[in-house]
Every structure is written in structure tokens, then in C-alpha cells.
Amino acid sequence: MTRALTRTCVDTPTGPLMLYALDDALVCVALNGTHGADTAHERRLARHLGAIEVHETDDAAGAASRLARHLAGDHAALGEQPLHLLGTAFQCQVWEALRALPPGTTTSYTALAERLGRPTAVRAVAAANGANPVPWFVPCHRVIAADGQLWGYAGGLAMKAWLLRHEGAPFRDEPRLAL
């Protein structure tokens, strides 16, 4: 059986985002706006869902509208988006914990692992954070280093900094020094 997905490209201040939806739920966000069967995003979707066909639409699962509201300053809009999370039970647990972080706040991998009741799973939490299939909507950008500096983001640190500034979240905006 072939699963029908919808796809919408949205321009943002940090560059284009490609939004993918299955029925009424967002399943994937490509941060660089790339699309096509040969992209990592669509190959990952096919691994999880089986055969897929993708159709262009103006507002995949309402995600483009919610994203526009977020960009206009309604930071709660992204949390209203229905999601269909494609991952392991542990990854989904991490992603749900990230969704519970209010806009304008940050956390560290250690604090997130402790919040999940898995204080020794810091690396596993970091790996799940990095595998987030719906960035922006699952706000992995809100995870920063314990000292407040920016640390890793699939869209690049400039995008992460923009998102945190847009939400009014505190962080140290200085380069990390190599030792």
C-alpha cells in the first residue's frame, strides 16, 4: 500500500522549510527546504511508512499556517500542531518532553535526561534530540549546553540562535573556545 503525503515549502527568515504531513499530522520538517525521493528526509519517511507518494499543497496539515503564526509572534502556535512522531519509544518520549518546554526557555541534555527519570542517559537523550524529525515543532533548539552556550543544531547555530532570540530565550551568544 502506498501512503499519500502532502508537502509544503515555507520561506522563513532562516531559509526555506519543507513540511511533510500524513493525513492531518506533521511527520517531517526539512530545515534546508530540499525535497525529492533521493533526499534523506524522504528516504527516512519511506523507511518508516513504506511506499510513499508526495503531493504538493498550500498548507500541509495546517503546519504552514501555524508556522506563520509563530513567525508573527504567536509562540504557542507550533505546540498546537498535530504530529505523527516516527521514532522509537525512547525517542518519542524525549520529543514529547521537548514539546513540554515552554517557548522562551532552555534546558540542557543533562536536565532533560533527569526530567525523564533517566539521569545516566544523557548521550541517548542527545542522540534522540539530534534525530528529531520535526524541528521547530518539537523544539530541539531549546536544548543548549549546560553553561548556556549554543551547542549543535541540524539547521546550524545561526538558525538555532535566531529561533531562541525570536522566542526570547536566554543563552550565551559567544563562540565556544577550543582547548
Side-chain angles (χ1 to χ4, degrees), residues 8-70:
T8 302
C9 187
V10 177
D11 288 321
T12 74
T14 64
L17 300 183
M18 191 63 65
L19 311 173
Y20 291 85
L22 174 64
D23 302 322
D24 293 327
L26 192 65
V27 292
C28 181
V29 175
L31 294 175
N32 59 4
T34 60
H35 62 283
D38 60 338
T39 64
H41 297 289
E42 290 192 21
R43 286 192 306 270
R44 182 182 183 281
L45 288 167
R47 276 195 311 275
H48 282 276
L49 300 171
I52 61 171
E53 59 183 33
V54 181
H55 306 278
E56 300 296 327
T57 186
D58 291 336
D59 195 1
S65 295
R66 288 180 182 91
L67 185 59
R69 287 175 41 213
H70 171 72

Side-chain angles (χ1 to χ4, degrees), residues 93-157:
Q93 182 183 21
V94 171
W95 300 333
E96 289 297 339
L98 288 169
R99 281 197 101 188
L101 293 174
T105 64
T106 58
T107 192
S108 68
Y109 293 118
T110 300
L112 189 56
E114 289 170 355
R115 183 175 294 129
L116 292 169
R118 308 269 308 262
T120 61
V122 175
R123 287 186 178 169
V125 166
N129 192 58
N132 176 10
V134 283
W136 287 45
F137 294 86
V138 168
C140 55
H141 60 275
R142 294 181 188 149
V143 180
I144 61 176
D147 65 2
Q149 290 187 12
L150 298 186
W151 190 259
Y153 189 67
L157 293 182

